[in-house]
Amino acid sequence: MRVGGRIIAGLLGGAALGTPVLATTLQEAFIETYNSSPALNAARAQLRATDEGVPIAKAQSRVQASSTLGLSQNTNGITRLNSGGRTLTAQLNLSYPLFQGGRVKNAINAAESRVSGGRADLRTTEGNIFTQVVAAYMAVIRDSSIVDLNKKNVAVLNTNLKASRDRFQVGDLTRTDVAQSEARLSLARSQLATAQGNLTGSRENFRRVVGIWPEALAQPPALPKLPDTPDQAVEIALQDSPSLQAAGAITQAAGFDVRAARAQRLPTVSAIGGTNYNNYLGTINQISGGFGGDNSQGSNSVGVSLNLPLYQGGLVGARVRQAQAVQNQAVEQGIDIERQVIANTRAAFASYRAAAEAITANKQAVSANELALEGVRAENRVGTRTVLEVLNAEQELLNAQVDLVSAQYDQYVAGFALLNAMGEAEARDLGLDGGSLYDPMANYNHVRNWLGDWSDQPAYTPRGTHTTGPTPADPDVAPYDPEAPSNRAVTPPRQ
């Protein structure tokens, strides 16, 4: 049961993979990350290393061939008939395993299971990285909105201060009222500076995760319909979570490892063959007495070898017990991962619902505070409200607006985290198939039956992008200028 994936794909649209674009939409941020994330490319390389476990295991069931070539000189003189003083030796040995007690078969099965687990781990990595992208993307949008709100607040308080000074000049307000306006403006500037610092941090984090500096980001698409209850979400997670699938594959591989260790107690049978060649390089004719002989000799052999282990010093028993302990560990870790998946799913569901309720409440708070501020300002103009009450109403409105923006961030990030916990936040779910997706089967199919010993990979070219270089100018965070009017110290005017 897959609830969210293809719906997300439809909402995000279909920009082509591999197209160099600026990350102005969430879809483009996903594509940029998918193509250039060093963490994701490292996970792919790790899977390719895991793929090699299959041909490594299969190599034990194939013909083994070795040869030796030697040249020796007798330094004691020629003393025996048909024994030269100088000898060139060449030998070729062949061995083909006929029976190995099941150790090779189980080793291959274990390697295959680990490949399956590695693919599931790659899916987990994809989902986790895309969740980071969503969090980084939404953090930039949230902090940009908070900076805008604080800028507007500073502008309003600047206007308030000018009005308070004018009213002070005509005796309508006291110096205390002006000082309160000034203090609130200074606090607003401090809040703006903090918000700008947070925005810069969020943009740097976006560049770390996605690989490029965020330009003006578009609002993200709506999330798909999520499960109605946490139990429904957990049911989907238990079925589709790649973390659980990886744990199951690793447990299965550990079981095959136990069987392979037990097989070391059984006999092995191999077909063997070889050829030997000796050349005395003309020295055979130097034998005392004048007798000569052939200066080269050769022999061929073929047969069957049986290796029957009788006692191995307790080595096999220790390896079996070790493999069983590793299997026990895998079983327990699988249960622990299941607990984590369930907890993460329920926590994400609860956070999503809580944020949704917070959005509703904060919208009501913003509306109420806007109405309250309008009323307090009107009452202040007729003298029934103080300047401080107006300032407090403005601050209450700003707080409610910031809380609303934060709740919107929380809801979207928690919703995507819920999709990730359910196994619905991978590349195949996000509409990134407008171009070529990474195929984990391609390398596996290439190497699984490879027979050659001279098949190195070509020199690797990193695919992850660097984030060095100067930080682009940020229009929302202007360089600090102590001579700017907004940064000059303000003192109450004297009468």
Side-chain angles (χ1 to χ4, degrees):
M1 179 180 180
R2 299 184 68 81
V3 170
R6 293 304 172 187
I7 302 179
I8 294 182
L11 288 169
L12 290 179
L17 263 179
T19 304
V21 292
L22 294 175
T24 55
T25 68
L26 184 56
Q27 170 76 351
E28 292 166 347
F30 282 144
I31 292 175
E32 185 68 32
T33 303
Y34 190 80
N35 288 330
S36 64
S37 168
L40 193 51
N41 282 307
R44 292 166 183 161
Q46 182 178 4
L47 177 57
R48 292 195 294 271
T50 304
D51 290 341
E52 298 295 343
V54 175
I56 289 172
K58 287 184 175 182
Q60 301 176 58
S61 66
R62 295 170 179 157
V63 173
Q64 304 292 314
S66 63
S67 64
T68 58
L69 181 67
L71 177 64
S72 63
Q73 173 67 49
N74 187 346
T75 60
N76 296 323
I78 303 172
T79 59
R80 295 174 56 193
L81 187 65
N82 294 333
S83 177
R86 188 179 301 113
T87 306
L88 174 67
T89 304
Q91 186 177 40
L92 174 65
N93 297 314
L94 299 174
S95 175
Y96 181 74
L98 301 176
F99 175 74
Q100 299 192 67
R103 69 184 71 181
V104 175
K105 176 183 177 181
N106 285 295
I108 294 173
N109 289 337
E112 296 274 9
S113 295
R114 287 190 170 89
V115 169
S116 297
R119 292 173 191 159
D121 283 335
L122 179 58
R123 291 169 50 207
T124 299
T125 301
E126 280 185 6
N128 291 340
I129 289 177
F130 287 142
T131 302
Q132 293 178 30
V133 171
V134 169
Y137 189 96
M138 294 302 299
V140 172
I141 292 178
R142 176 199 63 194
D143 292 342
S144 295
S145 298
I146 293 175
V147 166
D148 289 341
L149 290 171
N150 278 277
K151 283 183 176 179
K152 292 176 181 177
N153 188 47
V154 168
V156 168
L157 290 176
N158 259 318
T159 302
N160 287 352
L161 178 58
K162 292 178 182 178
S164 296
R165 282 179 161 181
D166 291 341
R167 295 176 64 184
F168 173 75
Q169 294 293 342
V170 299
D172 192 27
L173 294 178
T174 66
R175 183 175 297 177
T176 300
D177 295 317
V178 176
Q180 289 171 339
S181 297
E182 184 181 281
R184 193 58 59 90
L185 176 58
S186 298
L187 177 61
R189 287 173 179 162
S190 172
Q191 292 173 335
L192 174 59
T194 299
Q196 289 174 328
N198 292 338
L199 176 57
T200 299
S202 294
R203 284 181 166 154
E204 290 293 348
N205 185 57
F206 182 96
R207 181 160 62 170
R208 177 189 67 83
V209 175
V210 179
I212 57 178
W213 184 259
E215 301 297 334
L217 302 183
Q219 286 297 318
L223 290 171
K225 185 179 184 301
L226 297 173
D228 295 325
T229 67
D231 290 337
Q232 291 178 357
V234 168
E235 181 182 355
I236 298 171
L238 293 178
Q239 178 179 336
D240 294 338
S241 170
S243 297
L244 285 176
Q245 294 171 7
I250 295 302
T251 300
Q252 187 178 40
F256 287 123
D257 287 339
V258 172
R259 298 179 191 177
R262 286 172 176 160
Q264 297 178 36
R265 297 166 174 159
L266 301 178
T268 60
V269 180
S270 300
I272 58 174
T275 182
N276 295 295
Y277 173 77
N278 295 326
N279 192 314
Y280 299 105
L281 303 177
T283 60
I284 198 71
N285 294 321
Q286 299 175 9
I287 301 174
S288 60
F291 295 99
D294 293 335
N295 273 278
S296 64
Q297 299 176 352
S299 65
N300 300 313
S301 65
V302 63
V304 176
S305 173
L306 171 66
N307 181 17
L308 180 63
L310 300 177
Y311 177 67
Q312 302 179 61
L315 175 63
V316 177
R319 286 179 173 171
V320 171
R321 296 191 302 273
Q322 183 184 57
Q324 288 175 321
V326 172
Q327 182 187 31
N328 298 342
Q329 178 190 24
V331 171
E332 296 297 337
Q333 286 180 337
I335 297 174
D336 183 56
I337 291 174
E338 180 185 76
R339 288 185 177 185
Q340 293 176 22
V341 168
I342 293 174
N344 291 342
T345 303
R346 292 185 178 276
F349 186 92
S351 297
Y352 178 78
R353 283 295 177 87
E357 295 176 1
I359 288 175
T360 301
N362 283 313
K363 284 182 177 179
Q364 295 173 350
V366 169
S367 178
N369 277 303
E370 287 175 341
L371 182 61
L373 176 58
E374 183 180 351
V376 171
R377 283 175 174 169
E379 293 170 6
N380 175 256
R381 285 193 291 268
V382 298
T384 59
R385 293 281 187 171
T386 65
V387 170
L388 181 59
E389 289 176 303
V390 174
L391 296 174
N392 288 339
E394 290 170 344
Q395 185 65 45
E396 289 292 331
L397 175 58
L398 174 64
N399 292 342
Q401 291 170 330
V402 170
D403 289 343
L404 175 58
V405 171
S406 299
Q408 291 169 337
Y409 163 86
D410 293 339
Q411 184 194 37
Y412 202 93
V413 172
F416 197 89
L418 178 57
L419 290 172
N420 184 37
M422 296 188 300
E424 303 286 339
E426 303 157 29
R428 60 180 180 174
D429 301 314
L430 300 178
L432 305 188
D433 49 2
S436 176
L437 293 178
Y438 180 81
D439 182 10
M441 293 292 294
N443 181 76
Y444 171 77
N445 291 332
H446 177 69
V447 304
R448 60 173 301 190
N449 292 317
W450 193 262
L451 299 176
D453 284 338
W454 300 88
S455 56
D456 296 0
Q457 293 284 1
Y460 182 75
T461 301
R463 293 169 175 80
T465 55
H466 296 276
T467 58
T468 55
T471 299
D474 191 341
D476 293 317
V477 183
Y480 179 77
D481 181 5
E483 297 303 320
S486 61
N487 293 326
R488 294 175 187 164
V490 182
T491 55
R494 297 183 178 276
Q495 287 183 318

